[in-house]
Amino acid sequence: NYCMLLRYLFRCISAGKHEESYRELLPLIPTTLNGLFRVLCSTEDASLRRTLIELVLTIPARLSSLLPHMNLLLRVIVLALESNSDDLVNLGLRTLEFWIDNLNPEYLFPELSKQKDVFVSLMQALATHCQPAPYPYGLLTLRLLGKLGGKNRRVLRE
């Protein structure tokens, strides 16, 4: 129930109605992300895992505030893309697309490839979603791979 309360709180703050809440939450971001990730790694309950993945990816913060935690967030995106939940796959793809669209490539690509195992897992997870229609995420995945501008092919060479 605490997770559902956090989910509701995050959605209310993200809706833009409480701008001052962003500033109040800013110092809590590292603790919140690390705590949620630790619980995520230690639980076996599938529904709790789905909720925790959603909470990590929807934490109400500006992108610039999340940059120091990009490695942790990338690991959670991989978990979202590997999940059986359509909502989480969609959330993971949309979050990754938002980052690609809004971050400078000189920052994003070194950050993506900083940890090779996470980058390889990300590319493998994206590859599983490259499927033709009527699969709902094939086109979005192809668009993301295109926006990566060939950086995804580094996996093939390694």
Side-chain angles (χ1 to χ4, degrees):
N1 288 338
Y2 291 117
C3 288
M4 293 303 148
L5 179 64
L6 271 177
R7 181 190 213 185
Y8 177 74
L9 180 68
F10 285 5
R11 285 182 179 177
C12 285
I13 294 171
S14 295
K17 299 173 187 170
H18 308 284
E19 188 64 35
E20 61 278 352
S21 298
Y22 277 109
R23 288 187 295 275
E24 294 291 327
L25 206 62
L26 189 62
L28 301 174
I29 289 173
T31 307
T32 304
L33 281 175
N34 289 323
L36 289 172
F37 188 70
R38 266 186 303 204
V39 174
L40 176 63
C41 291
S42 65
T43 188
E44 296 294 323
D45 182 20
S47 65
L48 180 59
R49 287 182 65 82
R50 282 193 300 273
T51 303
L52 290 168
I53 290 170
E54 180 184 347
L55 286 173
V56 170
L57 293 180
T58 58
I59 191 163
R62 304 280 181 236
L63 184 57
S64 58
S65 305
L66 295 174
L67 292 179
H69 313 286
M70 188 69 77
N71 188 32
L72 182 140
L73 292 168
L74 279 169
R75 290 177 187 276
V76 176
I77 283 184
V78 170
L79 292 173
L81 294 176
E82 291 173 345
S83 76
N84 295 332
S85 168
D86 285 346
D87 291 336
L88 286 183
V89 170
N90 189 32
L91 179 62
L93 289 170
R94 296 289 178 190
T95 302
L96 189 59
E97 183 177 36
F98 178 75
W99 291 351
I100 291 170
D101 289 344
N102 292 292
L103 289 176
N104 188 338
E106 283 78 35
Y107 176 81
L108 178 64
F109 296 135
E111 196 66 34
L112 282 175
S113 57
K114 192 179 277 184
Q115 289 203 342
K116 192 180 294 187
D117 61 329
V118 175
F119 184 66
V120 169
S121 297
L122 178 65
M123 290 303 121
Q124 288 173 338
L126 286 173
T128 62
H129 295 289
C130 283
Q131 298 178 24
Y135 186 71
Y137 306 113
L139 187 60
L140 177 57
T141 303
L142 282 176
R143 190 170 62 224
L144 278 174
L145 290 172
K147 288 179 180 183
L148 285 172
K151 305 296 187 215
N152 55 333
R153 288 191 291 271
R154 288 183 185 169
V155 174
L156 296 175
R157 284 181 265 166
E158 298 170 359

